[in-house]
Amino acid sequence: LEEMLQLPGSILMLELKDEDNPVKLAHQVLRLVAKNNRLADLAIASFSYKILSEVHKTYPDIPLIGLADTIGDFMQLTQLPLAVIAVNVDIAQKVYVKIGRKICGFRPSFWVWTVRDEKTLKKVMKLNVDGIITDIPSKIIKLLNTNS
């Protein structure tokens, strides 16, 4: 992390895992980022409501990215002021149909993960997603260019 913080002009998206003591983890990471004067270049992502809540309480201006693997996780995370909600591709359709794009009076960006093939790409594109998380970006870009 310290090496990444030294890269000039970079925007950082840090995913914080739910360790044994998530509050302590959040504070340790935020102190290190603050020490390096990089809070303005940071977004924090997590599957953990507890971590994101603590980050928001301590630094309310840091954008939050909620990562949801289940509908229950999604519903809990959307109680926070998220900049982005990223959901597992397997629940994307259910989430979209169940509550639509507007959540609790605000509209975070809607991302889907992990898109790995053309069939899945076509399915999520029908949902008007704002972002796609993939481990094969060149293939997805080629498919997007072919289908546009």
Side-chain angles (χ1 to χ4, degrees):
L1 175 58
E2 288 196 61
E3 289 178 33
M4 289 301 299
L5 292 171
Q6 302 306 315
L7 292 174
S10 59
I11 304 296
L12 305 169
M13 190 280 290
L14 300 177
E15 180 186 346
L16 299 182
K17 306 285 186 180
D18 194 358
E19 301 289 329
D20 292 334
N21 191 338
V23 171
K24 182 179 178 184
L25 171 67
H27 283 285
Q28 287 174 331
V29 169
L30 292 170
R31 272 195 300 274
L32 183 60
V33 173
K35 178 180 139 190
N36 286 275
N37 296 315
R38 298 299 304 273
L39 290 172
D41 305 321
L42 177 68
I44 296 288
S46 186
F47 287 91
S48 169
Y49 176 89
K50 190 182 288 185
I51 288 174
L52 292 176
S53 180
E54 190 64 29
V55 168
H56 181 67
K57 186 170 72 174
T58 309
Y59 293 97
D61 294 333
I62 292 178
L64 304 177
I65 301 171
L67 305 172
D69 205 18
T70 68
I71 297 287
D73 294 341
F74 174 84
M75 297 306 288
Q76 183 182 37
L77 288 167
T78 56
Q79 301 307 304
L80 295 167
L82 301 174
V84 173
I85 183 71
V87 301
N88 181 310
V89 71
D90 295 332
I91 67 165
Q93 180 70 33
K94 293 176 195 163
V95 164
Y96 190 83
V97 169
K98 184 172 182 149
I99 56 108
R101 297 295 302 272
K102 192 171 182 182
I103 307 161
C104 305
F106 67 95
R107 185 197 174 283
S109 289
F110 184 56
W111 297 359
V112 174
W113 56 274
T114 300
V115 176
R116 293 189 173 105
D117 57 63
E118 185 172 5
K119 180 181 174 188
T120 304
L121 176 64
K122 287 180 179 180
K123 186 167 78 173
V124 299
M125 293 305 293
K126 290 178 184 175
L127 302 176
N128 285 331
V129 298
D130 298 304
I132 294 170
I133 299 172
T134 184
D135 48 10
I136 53 164
S138 57
K139 182 176 178 182
I140 296 299
I141 290 168
K142 184 177 178 182
L143 289 170
L144 287 170
N145 288 336
T146 302
N147 293 323
S148 59

